[in-house]
Amino acid sequence: LTLQVLGNAKGVVAAAVSVQVFGNTVTSRGMLGYAVTVVGVFGYSESKRRAKAEKEAAAAKSAEGKDEGEWLLGVPDAPGGRSPFRAPISHQAQA
């Protein structure tokens, strides 16, 4: 999918160069199409950036030990320590 997005962006750049270098004309419909393409490329890039940031945040949270187990009785961890009501994932029975 990323290569398709880059291919569309390349088409916009090629059209812009042809207008500047060769003086080709672009209709208003063509300009609208190029504008939609540029907005789509930026939207795709932003979506990928946010997904990467969320993945990194989840990995950092997991590394802190926040997701090390599941609640056995629905009792939160005691302040400043671990709860005896939380089972580590590695000790849970496989379904």
Side-chain angles (χ1 to χ4, degrees):
L1 184 62
T2 300
L3 291 177
Q4 290 176 344
V5 173
L6 288 175
N8 290 333
K10 183 181 88 171
V12 172
V13 171
V17 168
S18 74
V19 168
Q20 290 294 321
V21 173
F22 302 115
N24 294 342
T25 58
V26 179
T27 64
S28 58
R29 183 181 232 174
M31 283 189 225
L32 177 64
Y34 294 133
V36 168
T37 301
V38 169
V39 169
V41 168
F42 282 111
Y44 179 78
S45 298
E46 180 65 15
S47 172
K48 292 283 281 186
R49 186 192 64 76
R50 287 184 184 182
K52 182 179 178 182
E54 287 175 6
K55 184 177 179 181
E56 289 173 354
K61 182 179 177 184
S62 179
E64 291 175 357
K66 300 290 184 189
D67 291 329
E68 286 183 4
E70 294 185 3
W71 298 111
L72 296 178
L73 298 175
V75 179
D77 288 345
R82 296 200 40 102
S83 171
F85 302 106
R86 194 168 173 104
I89 291 175
S90 60
H91 293 112
Q92 294 177 357
Q94 298 293 325

